Amino acid sequence: MSARAWALSIEDREKLIQAAFEAKEGSYSRYSNFPVGAALLAVDGTIIKGANIENASYGGTICAERTALVKAVSEGTRKFIALAVTSNVKSAISPCGMCRQFIREFCANDMPILLVPADYPQEGKVKPGSSAGGVVETTLGELLPMSFGPEDLDLPRKLQ
Amino acid sequence: MSARAWALSIEDREKLIQAAFEAKEGSYSRYSNFPVGAALLAVDGTIIKGANIENASYGGTICAERTALVKAVSEGTRKFIALAVTSNVKSAISPCGMCRQFIREFCANDMPILLVPADYPQEGKVKPGSSAGGVVETTLGELLPMSFGPEDLDLPRKLQ
Amino acid sequence: MSARAWALSIEDREKLIQAAFEAKEGSYSRYSNFPVGAALLAVDGTIIKGANIENASYGGTICAERTALVKAVSEGTRKFIALAVTSNVKSAISPCGMCRQFIREFCANDMPILLVPADYPQEGKVKPGSSAGGVVETTLGELLPMSFGPEDLDLPRKLQ
Amino acid sequence: MSARAWALSIEDREKLIQAAFEAKEGSYSRYSNFPVGAALLAVDGTIIKGANIENASYGGTICAERTALVKAVSEGTRKFIALAVTSNVKSAISPCGMCRQFIREFCANDMPILLVPADYPQEGKVKPGSSAGGVVETTLGELLPMSFGPEDLDLPRKLQ
Ligand SMILES: [Zn+2]
Ligand SMILES: [Zn+2]
Ligand SMILES: [Zn+2]
Ligand SMILES: [Zn+2]
């Protein structure tokens, strides 16, 4: 939301957004009928795509953002520049809390997260809180303030 | 964080904080050695306690906040006034993203969430961001801004 | 499935089954429309009830069996004699894998698990694999053979 | 366990096992110190690798088997021939219940699952329950009997 100097070039931004739309094609969302696509830009310039993969047990469901992250991390890519997320909804949809926590493990608080509406690029006047094309630009720190993270498990503790 | 007119009386606040400490006694945290206690104040005045229950599969672990919520909700209590969380760490520990999302299902954005240090009440000067005794007072809306919630699943969607 | 000498008296069995039906009333299953109830019999004779509590993120969903277990364990009850599970489906529905793993943390392999059809007690001839009233009687060991459990995390490991 | 006519050639079996070992290199398991690797053989002959990716929240952890599956499924690969899993433990380690449920969504009950010891190939006499090299050969149906699956959500239900 706050103004921010993006490390992301216009070309990279656009490529990442398009990758999120492509990623959505891989969704397995037969229970929610709510396909989501996510795309991660790694520091080495590669883009890793993910989609939501649901499960009959509901609780087993893995979202698009976590799919993209486990793909990347399990192949040794652990530093990221930006994340884009899109769905079939005409407003920008935000990662669930579980995904925010999962992103937290690997990404900096100021990493840009682009929430992309299904009808991107939206025409006309840019709405408050959005940037060009109707994208809501936020960061992990904005989405998960005062977060619990890896370093908290190392804090000194009272004897039980 | 922001100044807020609490619906919570000083007595209820103290009772809720003490319940979070008691709740922590029920923790099963043999893998993390990080016991957490949570206490929910329901609109009918009852307090429901929860502790983190871990699992050898790690991914199966259920946090204190979610334990308190499923206890309450499965018994028909679905309206809450406040939540308090504490651990053995001398700083205020915040709910993980998964719990924030779970709280989101049942609680209003302005519901107070009290993050209570292990050595509550802390003596001396109140630190910035804290209130009396070292408690950090926040809300669900502050912890999970721009959240994805039940109503998002009902939004009109682009044809796939 | 195999014949087994039940530790469970007929009275306790019936009380546990009825508790599972009552537990189902507490279900919050607006996404699946699939309410489930579970009831745990503890060694001290108490019965702990649980219902499935769903979440807009799907992945955050907690099943009835896990709800019952976290309720019990967080209050210090950690030894169990039997579990009963029921739903609105006229055949016996079995716990998901996540719940089997969660049960594994606290229950013995030979603990009876009763899968109760919605129309219990079913009239007429007992079907193969079922016992009186149409209940399928199984155990954790049958549902989760060769399981991964707490002791596996203590096995000696090859240096990485 | 049971004798079975493998669709899996000796070459494919060996390639899959080696892929599981390679996959383990991608593990992010700083909390459990228990790296796991998994490899899926798809019907088109490709092998998809996964490793466990842990999370400070513990409950957010995603196992190797699920990592491999979301990688494959999100890229359109949804039919599988076999799965191999390995860890740093000198005995064959089995998938957790959560993973068994996740596998259930996409794989047939008779799909071979190979549990591979860290010191594969083990020398000497083949132990009971194992096959060449110390591998335990099982199937999804053996690991998750009487499973709850997608079709159960479509069963006719009693009116609530
Ligand atoms: Zn998510
Ligand atoms: Zn949590
Ligand atoms: Zn379950
Ligand atoms: Zn697993």
Side-chain angles (χ1 to χ4, degrees), chain C residues 10 32 34-35 51 79 84 107 131 135 143 153:
Chain C
I10 291 178
S32 70
F34 199 99
K79 296 201 165 161
C107 302
S131 61
V135 174
L143 293 179
L153 289 170

Side-chain angles (χ1 to χ4, degrees), chain A residues 101, chain B residues 62-66 94-100, chain D residues 57:
Chain A
Q101 187 69 47
Chain B
I62 297 182
C63 302
E65 299 91 326
R66 285 179 285 149
S94 193
C96 81
M98 224 161 155
C99 288
R100 295 179 191 193
Chain D
S57 75

Side-chain angles (χ1 to χ4, degrees), chain C residues 15-98:
Chain C
K15 262 171 56 182
L16 192 63
I17 289 172
Q18 292 310 324
F21 280 105
E22 290 162 23
K24 199 178 56 178
E25 300 304 310
S27 170
Y28 173 83
S29 42
R30 58 182 281 181
Y31 306 111
S32 70
N33 291 312
F34 199 99
V36 180
L40 268 170
L41 178 61
V43 287
D44 64 4
T46 57
I47 287 179
I48 302 97
K49 296 186 277 186
N52 53 334
I53 310 297
E54 299 188 344
N55 189 268
S57 76
Y58 279 50
T61 294
I62 297 181
C63 302
E65 300 91 325
R66 286 179 283 150
T67 292
L69 268 166
V70 297
K71 268 168 133 168
V73 174
S74 67
E75 287 173 4
T77 302
R78 293 179 186 187
K79 296 201 165 161
F80 306 100
I81 288 175
L83 171 70
V85 185
T86 195
S87 74
N88 282 351
V89 167
K90 285 178 191 203
S91 52
I93 284 293
S94 194
C96 81
M98 221 162 156

Side-chain angles (χ1 to χ4, degrees), chain B residues 57 59, chain C residues 101 148, chain D residues 61-66 94-100:
Chain B
S57 75
Chain C
Q101 186 68 48
F148 181 89
Chain D
T61 294
I62 297 181
C63 302
E65 300 91 326
R66 286 179 283 150
S94 193
C96 81
M98 224 160 153
C99 288
R100 296 179 191 194

Side-chain angles (χ1 to χ4, degrees), chain A residues 10-153:
Chain A
I10 291 178
E11 290 74 21
D12 279 348
R13 184 181 189 276
E14 189 57 29
K15 264 171 56 183
L16 192 64
I17 288 173
Q18 292 310 325
F21 279 106
E22 291 161 23
K24 198 179 56 180
E25 299 305 308
S27 170
Y28 173 83
S29 42
R30 60 182 279 182
Y31 306 111
S32 69
N33 292 312
F34 200 99
V36 180
L40 266 171
L41 178 62
V43 287
D44 64 4
T46 58
I47 287 179
I48 301 98
K49 294 186 278 185
N52 52 333
I53 309 298
E54 299 188 343
N55 190 269
S57 75
Y58 279 52
T61 294
I62 297 182
C63 302
E65 300 90 325
R66 285 179 284 149
T67 291
L69 268 166
V70 295
K71 269 169 134 168
V73 173
S74 67
E75 288 173 4
T77 302
R78 294 180 184 185
K79 295 204 166 159
F80 307 101
I81 288 175
L83 171 70
V85 186
T86 194
S87 75
N88 281 351
V89 167
K90 286 180 192 203
S91 52
I93 284 293
S94 193
C96 81
M98 224 159 154
C99 288
R100 296 179 191 193
Q101 187 69 47
F102 208 84
I103 297 167
R104 171 67 173 78
E105 194 79 20
F106 301 105
C107 302
N109 268 333
D110 62 355
M111 189 186 78
I113 298 181
L114 310 178
L115 312 177
V116 184
D119 57 351
Y120 171 88
Q122 292 177 341
E123 303 287 323
K125 271 221 238 167
V126 172
K127 279 177 277 183
S130 297
S131 60
V135 174
V136 173
E137 303 188 348
T138 182
T139 62
L140 175 58
E142 282 177 348
L143 293 179
L144 198 71
M146 289 191 276
S147 60
F148 181 89
E151 65 285 358
D152 289 315
L153 289 170

